[in-house]
């Protein structure tokens, strides 16, 4: 076995002993906060991961005398960390007993997270939201748990028949030190539309927002500093109950986890090269293309992988009926520019109604551009007439397109450099998202940290 570098030790959770609050008050085991934490099953847990986030060891520690109490569970609680002192020493003692770790433990202090060079990848964080109910039941109040693997039946509807949807959002640190989300109610509403389409129990908007904000708060130390990335938020609604007939699972699970991320396309605001997929389509009329079903994404993986191997960042999908009209770019919406006019396909049922898309349309109009949502945007029109193109999404933000390859033809926009109009739109959107510009449409959603 090669040398193991333990990158991180996290001790998280709570004890039954009590906590110190801002008021200097020591909450005993009967305090509502501690009771709530017990009910949620938070204990003292340790997780050891190596450099590639592979779990080396995890377990429970039972005899701590301090607690890390999330303000979301108890508004007056001081957020204690396990940076030093008896708690960490005890963790070290226990971990040295774990065979895989013994003699190779390098403790990195909690709080010392390296946010440099973040990519769009998963890092385990502190807490997640998880609640399971019988299909059609009411979602219960509380469900914050440590980030961890979940247990699921091999017969779960989500695993067998893809009865599942997800959402994607970001929490950003603004230059002023606020933590903000962008139009999260729209994600909640889109998840409701998806739940209806996929036979899942809808999560009410307020419940969704409460879960998201609690998870963001509980993981606030993972939110990258302004300019270094975002805390990507991944709500998931899955048919978790066992079923072999093709029908809605008897039980649904709603989860929210988060991870710090950098740019979706390498290089941030640099122009990307795309290729039109000649043989695959993303969605067909009457299918599930307009909802965020996980099953929409697996068929895009090999086309995207092949495109990457050929030097492209992603694939452009055309319509499934005539293979003539642009629909989307992998996991982002498509726009092209001709002079002062911006063109994008209308939401006709096969395209995901992107929240960034809707925002960019509004921002462009506010800036005086004409934006036309066409029933159809022919790829030939793009190849012949467009002076610029870009794609939009939560992960992709606004990504300028440097070139499009369609069959034997490669169309290069602005010498492969970022188009000035695309830069203006990018700057306008990100300025609103980080409270650097007036939020005239009320899109920014501050999270009290
Ligand atoms: N289209 C697809 C297929 C997506 O997966 C996404 C990502 O969420 C988008 C478009 C952009 O949507 P939004 O701007 O809401 O993130
Ligand atoms: C997002 O932009 O949030 C997405 O969901 C894209 C994702 C598939 C990476």
């Amino acid at each position: 076995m090669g040398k193991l570098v333990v990158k991180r030790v996290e001790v998280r959770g709570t004890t039954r002993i009590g906590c110190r609050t801002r008021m200097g008050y020591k909450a005993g085991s009967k305090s509502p906060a501690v009771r709530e934490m017990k009910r949620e099953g938070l204990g003292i847990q340790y997780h050891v991961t190596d450099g590639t986030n592979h779990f080396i060891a995890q377990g429970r520690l039972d005899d701590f005398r301090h607690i890390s109490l999330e303000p979301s569970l108890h508004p007056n609680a001081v957020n204690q960390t396990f940076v030093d002192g008896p708690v960490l020493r005890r963790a070290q003692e226990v971990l040295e007993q774990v065979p895989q770790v013994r003699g190779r433990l390098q403790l990195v202090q909690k709080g010392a997270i390296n946010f440099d060079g973040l990519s769009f990848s998963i890092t385990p964080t502190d807490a997640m939201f998880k609640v399971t109910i019988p299909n059609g039941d009411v979602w219960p109040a509380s469900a914050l748990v440590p980030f961890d693997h979940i247990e699921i039946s091999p017969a779960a509807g989500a695993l067998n028949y893809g009865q599942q949807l997800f959402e994607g959002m970001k929490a950003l640190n603004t230059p002023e030190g606020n933590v903000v989300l962008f139009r999260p109610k729209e994600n909640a509403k889109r998840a409701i539309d998806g739940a209806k389409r996929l036979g899942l129990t809808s999560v009410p908007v307020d419940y969704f927002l409460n879960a998201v904000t609690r998870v963001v708060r509980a993981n606030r130390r993972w939110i990258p500093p302004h300019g270094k990335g975002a805390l990507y938020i991944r709500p998931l609604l899955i048919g978790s109950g066992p079923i072999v007939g093709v029908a809605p699972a008897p039980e649904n699970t709603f989860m929210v986890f988060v991870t710090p991320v950098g740019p979706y396309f390498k290089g941030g605001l640099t122009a990307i090269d795309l290729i039109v997929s000649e043989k695959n389509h993303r969605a067909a009329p009457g299918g599930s293309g307009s909802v965020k079903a996980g099953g929409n994404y697996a068929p895009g993986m090999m086309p995207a992988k092949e495109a990457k191997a050929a030097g492209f960042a992603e694939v452009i999908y055309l319509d499934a009926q005539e293979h003539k009209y642009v629909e989307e770019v992998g996991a982002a919406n498509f726009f092209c520019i001709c002079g002062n006019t911006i063109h994008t396909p209308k939401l006709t049922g096969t395209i995901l109604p992107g929240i960034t898309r809707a925002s960019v349309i509004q921002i462009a109009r506010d800036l005086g551009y004409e934006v036309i949502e066409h029933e159809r945007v022919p790829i030939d029109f793009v190849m012949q007439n467009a002076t610029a193109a870009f794609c939009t999404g939560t992960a992709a933000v606004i990504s300028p397109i440097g070139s499009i390859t369609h069959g034997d033809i490669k169309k290069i926009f602005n010498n492969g450099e970022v188009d000035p109009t695309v830069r203006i739109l990018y700057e306008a959107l990100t300025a609103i998202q980080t409270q650097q510009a007036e939020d005239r449409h009320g899109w920014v959603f501050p999270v009290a940290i």
Side-chain angles (χ1 to χ4, degrees):
M1 195 176 13
K3 175 135 177 66
L4 170 73
V5 179
V6 177
K7 276 275 178 73
R8 212 176 67 234
V9 174
E10 292 178 10
V11 182
R12 53 204 177 174
T14 63
T15 65
R16 14 194 146 86
I17 307 295
C19 76
R20 198 179 288 281
T21 72
R22 266 199 201 121
M23 320 298 290
Y25 154 71
K26 201 156 162 89
S29 60
K30 291 205 170 75
S31 81
V34 172
R35 275 210 305 272
E36 181 175 358
M37 286 181 291
K38 275 187 178 168
R39 203 168 49 240
E40 294 192 348
L42 290 180
I44 300 254
Q45 304 215 344
Y46 63 87
H47 289 236
V48 184
T49 59
D50 69 5
T52 59
N53 297 327
H54 174 69
F55 277 111
I56 301 299
Q58 55 185 320
R60 274 182 108 80
L61 306 171
D62 292 323
D63 57 351
F64 283 100
R65 302 209 155 257
H66 296 81
I67 69 172
S68 170
L69 189 56
E70 290 304 338
S72 54
L73 295 177
H74 191 304
N76 290 327
V78 173
N79 174 37
Q80 297 187 28
T81 58
F82 295 99
V83 170
D84 206 356
V87 174
L88 191 59
R89 280 200 297 280
R90 175 75 183 121
Q92 188 158 12
E93 248 172 67
V94 172
L95 290 168
E96 285 293 341
Q97 307 305 312
V98 178
Q100 302 97 307
V101 175
R102 194 176 304 136
R104 297 189 283 177
L105 189 63
Q106 174 205 322
L107 290 182
V108 178
Q109 287 200 338
K110 185 165 180 172
I113 301 170
N114 182 8
F115 290 111
D116 293 331
L118 281 175
S119 60
F120 196 84
S121 56
I122 178 80
T123 302
T125 50
D126 295 333
M128 66 181 202
F129 191 91
K130 177 173 177 287
V131 65
T132 298
I133 55 162
N135 196 6
D137 220 339
V138 173
W139 296 99
S142 112
L144 209 58
V145 294
F147 178 91
D148 211 338
H149 300 284
I150 62 165
E151 207 168 86
I152 193 162
S153 163
L159 297 182
N160 290 267
Y161 305 123
Q163 196 204 11
Q164 179 271 8
L165 64 80
F166 71 98
E167 269 300 329
M169 307 149 80
K170 279 177 176 170
L172 294 172
N173 259 318
T174 70
E176 278 73 40
N178 299 325
V179 172
V180 294
L181 309 179
F182 187 65
R183 309 187 73 180
K185 280 186 196 161
E186 301 307 314
N187 296 84
K189 289 193 229 158
R190 187 167 66 188
I192 290 175
D193 293 341
K196 285 185 186 146
R197 179 70 182 84
L198 300 168
L200 292 156
T201 305
S202 298
V203 177
V205 171
D206 287 346
Y207 189 90
F208 182 102
L209 292 181
N210 181 262
V212 165
T213 47
R214 284 182 70 191
V215 177
V216 168
R217 235 180 256 136
N219 292 290
R220 62 199 166 286
R221 72 189 185 97
W222 292 98
I223 309 172
H226 175 67
K228 294 212 165 180
L231 188 72
Y232 187 72
I233 306 166
R234 176 49 64 84
L236 277 172
L237 178 59
I238 69 172
S240 50
I243 190 153
V244 285
V246 181
E251 184 188 276
N252 288 178
T253 297
F254 175 56
M255 286 173 279
V256 182
F257 70 87
V258 293
T259 183
V261 296
Y264 186 62
F265 293 118
K266 283 197 192 101
L269 192 67
T270 50
I272 53 173
D273 296 310
L274 300 180
I275 182 164
V276 174
S277 178
E278 302 300 345
K279 57 176 189 214
N280 298 113
H281 298 107
R282 197 192 80 91
S288 59
S290 66
V291 300
K292 231 163 144 53
N296 292 343
Y297 293 79
M301 290 174 187
M302 291 317 288
K305 195 171 172 191
E306 281 164 26
K308 278 176 193 147
F312 300 99
E314 247 296 356
V315 158
I316 295 185
Y317 288 107
L318 303 185
D319 73 289
Q321 276 176 307
E322 297 183 58
H323 195 70
K324 279 188 189 161
Y325 308 105
V326 179
E327 299 231 307
E328 296 204 50
V329 178
N333 293 113
F334 179 86
F335 289 80
C336 69
I337 306 179
C338 303
N340 256 356
T341 307
I342 300 173
H343 307 265
T344 193
K346 231 185 203 164
L347 303 175
T348 48
T350 51
I351 294 176
L352 192 84
I355 294 153
T356 322
R357 173 190 179 279
S359 312
V360 166
I361 291 174
Q362 184 63 57
I363 289 170
R365 287 182 178 147
D366 291 347
L367 290 171
Y369 294 97
E370 184 185 15
V371 183
I372 307 178
E373 291 181 75
H374 297 270
E375 208 67 41
R376 292 163 158 190
V377 175
I379 184 65
D380 289 347
F381 168 83
V382 176
M383 299 302 281
Q384 283 155 27
N385 302 310
T387 50
F390 61 98
C391 57
T392 66
T394 299
V397 192
I398 290 183
S399 294
I401 298 173
S403 75
I404 297 178
T405 298
H406 179 29
D408 297 335
I409 304 167
K410 179 170 188 161
K411 165 106 178 176
I412 298 176
F413 299 103
N414 198 36
N415 292 322
E417 300 296 320
V418 180
D419 174 81
T421 304
V422 179
R423 188 181 291 279
I424 288 168
L425 293 172
Y426 175 88
E427 279 167 5
L429 172 70
T430 53
I432 295 171
Q433 286 177 330
T434 54
Q435 296 185 309
Q436 298 302 287
E438 189 199 348
D439 177 21
R440 56 196 276 200
H441 302 290
W443 290 339
V444 177
F445 185 96
V447 178
I449 286 294

